[in-house]
Every structure is written in structure tokens, then in C-alpha cells.
């Protein structure tokens, strides 16, 4: 398996070294609304890519205390950014399209006191690739079928905190639409049935950057089937198809559909019932 080098977000201030997650607090002593005692805090930064390449990037900065000081200043690596203060909890700033890819620090300052500033690290650039849609079985007689999705960047490193949406279906049609963030674990790598293998016969996917796993239908004990008892998935072909991949928080990574695995199928043969 590939070495694990998960992408990491570093937040300056009170919190450092956090992995990408959808909700991250950044470097402050809290947040508030109007008033001289309001502390500035950054909770999230959503980066919105332009529809035309090389155009400016919009940064929606969520937090608090943005109206609590004598002025509001937004900088990227120390350089002032054009911005609009929408409310005490929201600022919209413009990042020049010429900004280099990589890590950058966004800072918000509303006054000269320590509590009137906060900063967070963002990452510009990068691509997300679905390296594998995996099916795997479990149960005493391999009667339960599950699916999970692996996401890597263009360098083959795990992407943590991306959100994947995919459909799972069988001969009867789509039975489930799954939504999950990618996690910092190896999922069920030792049980994968549909991921490619490397030269050593091991799964050729990162041991991280994997979604939660989702079971097939048919578990009557939990699906309120009356009478209960049918607890195996129906036999036949199962297919999963990726619908969307959205980037981790504090990034503007894009989904590379061209180089992603978009669909994977497997066959469930002769499932047994207890």
C-alpha cells in the first residue's frame, strides 16, 4: 500500500495541526458580535473558484466579532485584500487569481488589541481523484455487501475532509444515496474486492482518505420488515456511481472527474440467511 501522507491544515493562534475537517475553529479567544469587547474568531473559510480560469477567488470568511473594533482589515500573507463586511459573522474577501498554489495565511483584524485579530491557513490548488469505489462483503456467509470510496490528490496522497456523494444500486434500481466525508483511517482496505492491486498484491489505494462504509438493503431486523428475518442482501450485481466530490474546508481543490473512477460493480453470489 502507499505510504500515508494525509493533507493537513494548520491553524495559527490557539489551535494548530488539525487535519482537514468540515468545521474548524481558528486562532482566537472566542467570537462575538458588536461592541468593544467582541473577540474576533474565524470558524470557516469557504473558497469559491471562478468559472473562468485565472480569475479571482472569493473567500467567504465565517466567524464573529468582525464589527467589534474601530476598523476591519483582511490580509493574505500580510497583503491587504479587498473585502466586504456582510455582518459581525461574515466577511467576503477577494483573493487575486494570480496567487500561487500552496498554503497561505488569511488574517482578520478589527482593532489593535490581541483579541481583535484571528488567522487561519488556507490551501490553494490541488485536485481530488476518486482512486477507488470499493465493494466488500461481511457476515458469517458473506451475506452483507458494503461500499466505500477512496479519495487521493494528484500526487497519490490521501485527501481528508472531502465530501463524496454516490449512488448504490442493484437489479431493482438505486436503493441508496450516500454522503460521507473522507476520514483519516484505512477503512476496510484488507477486505476490498474491487480496488486495483499493486505489484505485491496489496490494494493500490492510500490507507487513508476513505469515506464511511454503507451496507446494502435487506437487513430486515433493522428495516422494520414484517415479519422480520430476511437479513441478507439480494443476490445479483451491485453498482456504485460517484455523483460529486466537494473539497475539504479551507481549500479550493477541484474534483478531477477525468482521472477518477466513477463507477464500480460487483456480484453478490448465493447469500445465505440465518
Amino acid at each position: 500500500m502507499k505510504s500515508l501522507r494525509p493533507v493537513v491544515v494548520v491553524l495559527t493562534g490557539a489551535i494548530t495541526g488539525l487535519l482537514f475537517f468540515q468545521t474548524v475553529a481558528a486562532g482566537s479567544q472566542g467570537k462575538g458580535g458588536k461592541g468593544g469587547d467582541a473577540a474576533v474568531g474565524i470558524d470557516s473559510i469557504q473558497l469559491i473558484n471562478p468559472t473562468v480560469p485565472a480569475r479571482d477567488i472569493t473567500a467567504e470568511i465565517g466567524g464573529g466579532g468582525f464589527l467589534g473594533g474601530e476598523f476591519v482589515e483582511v490580509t493574505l500573507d500580510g497583503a491587504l485584500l479587498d473585502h466586504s463586511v456582510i455582518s459581525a459573522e461574515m466577511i467576503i474577501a477577494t483573493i487575486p487569481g494570480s496567487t500561487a498554489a500552496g498554503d497561505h495565511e488569511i488574517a482578520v483584524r478589527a482593532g489593535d488589541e490581541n483579541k481583535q485579530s484571528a488567522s487561519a491557513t488556507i490551501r490553494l490548488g490541488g485536485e481530488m481523484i476518486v482512486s477507488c469505489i470499493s465493494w466488500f462483503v461481511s457476515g458469517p456467509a458473506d451475506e452483507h455487501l458494503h461500499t466505500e470510496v477512496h479519495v487521493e490528490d494528484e500526487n497519490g496522497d490521501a485527501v481528508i475532509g472531502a465530501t463524496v456523494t454516490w449512488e448504490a444500486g442493484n437489479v431493482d434500481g438505486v436503493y441508496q444515496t450516500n454522503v460521507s466525508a473522507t476520514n483519516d483511517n484505512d477503512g476496510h482496505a484488507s477486505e476490498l474486492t474491487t480496488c486495483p492491486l499493486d505489484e505485491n498484491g496489496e490494494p493500490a489505494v492510500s490507507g487513508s482518505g476513505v469515506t464511511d462504509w454503507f451496507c446494502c438493503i435487506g437487513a430486515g431486523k433493522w428495516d422494520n420488515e414484517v415479519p422480520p428475518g430476511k437479513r441478507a442482501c439480494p443476490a445479483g450485481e451491485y453498482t456504485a456511481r460517484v455523483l460529486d466530490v466537494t473539497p475539504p474546508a479551507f481549500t479550493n481543490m477541484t474534483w478531477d472527474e477525468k482521472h477518477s473512477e466513477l463507477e464500480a460493480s460487483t456480484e453478490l453470489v448465493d447469500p445465505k440467511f440465518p
Side-chain angles (χ1 to χ4, degrees):
M1 297 178 63
K2 297 180 180 179
S3 61
L4 310 186
R5 301 194 302 274
V7 182
V8 175
V9 169
V10 179
L11 306 184
T12 62
I15 302 175
T16 58
L18 289 179
L19 297 173
F20 280 138
F21 286 102
Q22 290 299 324
T23 303
V24 185
S28 70
Q29 297 100 340
K31 60 180 182 179
K34 296 182 179 180
D37 294 330
V40 172
I42 297 175
D43 292 334
S44 64
I45 300 178
Q46 181 178 3
L47 301 173
I48 303 172
N49 291 324
T51 56
V52 178
R55 293 289 180 87
D56 295 341
I57 300 165
T58 298
E60 294 186 352
I61 305 170
F66 299 151
L67 295 178
E70 298 177 356
F71 58 87
V72 177
E73 180 182 274
V74 181
T75 59
L76 181 74
D77 301 331
L80 290 172
L81 294 180
D82 292 336
H83 67 276
S84 298
V85 181
I86 306 304
S87 69
E89 292 80 31
M90 177 63 67
I91 294 174
I92 296 180
T94 300
I95 299 174
S98 59
T99 304
D103 291 344
H104 299 272
E105 182 185 74
I106 282 187
V108 176
R109 190 163 68 97
D112 293 327
E113 298 180 18
N114 289 336
K115 68 180 181 179
Q116 292 178 301
S117 65
S119 62
T121 297
I122 61 172
R123 174 164 293 182
L124 299 181
E127 295 179 334
M128 301 174 295
I129 299 169
V130 175
S131 57
C132 177
I133 306 169
S134 173
W135 289 100
F136 62 96
V137 294
S138 69
D142 291 339
E143 71 271 24
H144 295 157
L145 187 63
H146 316 273
T147 182
E148 63 187 20
V149 179
H150 297 253
V151 180
E152 301 175 351
D153 65 14
E154 66 272 23
N155 299 313
D157 297 326
V159 176
I160 299 169
T163 300
V164 185
T165 303
W166 73 102
E167 292 178 336
N170 57 15
V171 67
D172 296 322
V174 174
Y175 61 81
Q176 196 174 67
T177 299
N178 306 314
V179 180
S180 173
T182 52
N183 307 300
D184 185 20
N185 61 54
D186 62 1
H188 294 75
S190 62
E191 308 163 47
L192 304 184
T193 59
T194 56
C195 285
L197 302 178
D198 61 20
E199 63 275 10
N200 299 316
E202 297 290 335
V205 295
S206 292
S208 187
V210 59
T211 63
D212 297 332
W213 55 270
F214 293 81
C215 185
C216 58
I217 58 174
K221 180 178 179 181
W222 298 278
D223 291 347
N224 297 318
E225 182 181 281
V226 179
K230 182 180 179 182
R231 297 176 59 187
C233 300
E237 184 180 44
Y238 285 76
T239 299
R241 182 168 64 92
V242 175
L243 303 178
D244 190 34
V245 183
T246 59
F250 298 90
T251 81
N252 69 335
M253 299 181 77
T254 56
W255 176 28
D256 183 356
E257 297 183 55
K258 180 179 179 181
H259 295 97
S260 291
E261 182 176 44
L262 301 180
E263 188 171 297
S265 298
T266 192
E267 188 85 10
L268 184 62
V269 179
D270 193 26
K272 300 295 188 300
F273 299 90

